[in-house]
Amino acid sequence: MQVWAVANQKGGVGKTTTAISLAGLLAEVGYRVLLVDLDPHGSMTSYFRYDPDELGNSVYDLFMPAGVTAERVQELILETSHESIRLMPAATALATLERKAVTQEGMGLQVARALRHLQAEYDYVLIDSPPVLGVLMVNALAACHHLVVPVQTEFLALKGLERMVRTIHMINRARKHKLPFTVVPTFYDRRTQASVNSLRELHKLYPEYLSKAVVPVDTKFRNASLKGMVPSSLDAGSRGVHAYARLLRNLLEPQEQE
């Protein structure tokens, strides 16, 4: 089972869209996929028509005493609009975890512990992380084998990427094996100078980490969200889906070479 986290220390860069798009493409070639929503805003959970304010079971339960048992983990998993994709949903109560993390040890590994119970059931797990460096992002980074960092092609998003890269290097100093990561340009509009200049800057600053795939502005993503469908199920021929398909090929290459 491969675990990929999608994270950036800036909101609005396309994290949820990236995770759901990759999940849809993986599912459509036959993989069993689990999506994990670690963002208190619950955008991924809402995408599939669940209400983070109303759910009785959510990833929040993993952080409660004795929360990580095989039976409990199974109880958290919900169906989605795609038969090969399941969801471990978020709850708004996740926003309270930072205060509790100060007084409880081992909180940074709860998601990794939970996923060990699911090794035989899923081929890929994709984690949607909040845009804040705290216990939830730490859980995502500790659990994953590869990190995907979407970055909007505009100046302020590049500043946020700097913080994220510093965090990755800090995490890597504490890990036995360095966490590989891929920077993915999103919301690219070649008609605007801001997008063109930002993409050029990304090539200059992060050539060894930058994805060959550039995700364009595409209204089909919004249409898919309105229907609660993965983008590739709604329109497999859209520009955005083609970009994520290229990203997926890039991400799978190292595994195919093993």
Side-chain angles (χ1 to χ4, degrees):
M1 183 173 77
Q2 280 289 306
V3 182
W4 297 345
V6 182
N8 194 329
Q9 285 173 247
K10 184 183 184 306
V13 297
K15 294 189 304 298
T16 302
T17 298
T18 296
I20 292 173
S21 296
L22 290 173
L25 290 164
L26 284 165
E28 286 172 15
V29 294
Y31 291 115
R32 300 163 300 169
V33 184
L34 175 67
L35 289 166
V36 179
D37 190 355
L38 286 185
D39 192 336
H41 290 108
S43 295
M44 176 181 281
T45 300
S46 298
Y47 190 104
F48 291 109
R49 303 302 184 264
Y50 296 103
D51 187 343
D53 292 322
E54 301 293 337
L55 285 170
N57 297 323
S58 73
V59 291
Y60 179 75
D61 297 357
L62 300 179
F63 298 90
M64 297 299 97
V68 186
T69 64
E71 182 180 1
R72 190 71 189 109
V73 170
Q74 289 290 348
E75 290 173 351
L76 305 183
I77 297 172
L78 302 174
E79 294 184 351
T80 73
S81 55
H82 196 293
E83 62 181 1
S84 296
I85 301 175
R86 296 292 181 268
L87 171 69
M88 196 178 288
T92 49
L94 285 169
T96 67
L97 279 180
E98 297 303 327
R99 294 194 301 273
K100 296 179 181 179
V102 175
T103 59
Q104 296 183 34
E105 293 184 5
M107 291 274 278
L109 297 173
Q110 292 301 90
V111 172
R113 294 185 181 111
L115 294 181
R116 291 190 195 114
H117 294 299
L118 302 172
Q119 284 279 356
E121 296 184 42
Y122 298 97
D123 302 301
Y124 285 89
V125 177
L126 282 85
I127 303 173
D128 192 10
S129 175
V132 178
L133 179 57
V135 67
L136 292 167
M137 184 181 287
V138 167
N139 266 269
L141 297 179
C144 76
H145 302 109
H146 195 105
L147 178 63
V148 178
V149 186
V151 56
Q152 187 175 356
T153 46
E154 56 96 13
F155 176 72
L156 290 178
L158 296 190
K159 302 303 289 185
L161 178 60
E162 289 180 21
R163 293 193 296 275
M164 189 69 223
V165 171
R166 284 198 298 270
T167 296
I168 295 168
H169 291 322
M170 177 185 70
I171 293 284
N172 279 340
R173 285 195 290 271
R175 288 174 61 117
K176 291 181 181 178
H177 305 288
K178 288 187 176 181
L179 176 63
F181 68 97
T182 301
V183 176
V184 184
T186 59
F187 294 100
Y188 181 70
D189 186 347
R190 63 182 180 182
R191 298 168 300 179
T192 69
Q193 201 60 43
S195 270
V196 172
N197 289 343
S198 296
L199 185 58
R200 186 180 298 125
E201 194 70 8
L202 286 170
H203 277 288
K204 185 192 304 182
L205 296 173
Y206 306 102
E208 68 271 43
Y209 304 115
L210 192 64
S211 166
K212 297 173 185 175
V214 178
V215 181
V217 173
D218 190 340
T219 58
K220 298 296 175 64
F221 291 136
R222 184 168 63 247
N223 296 342
S225 175
L226 289 171
K227 294 178 179 293
M229 298 171 61
V230 296
S232 50
S233 291
L234 181 70
D235 188 349
S238 71
R239 294 181 305 130
V241 169
H242 276 297
Y244 279 118
R246 187 180 186 192
L247 170 62
L248 181 59
R249 289 194 297 272
N250 296 160
L251 294 173
L252 292 176
E253 279 172 7
Q255 295 168 220
E256 293 170 351
Q257 293 168 6
E258 291 177 357

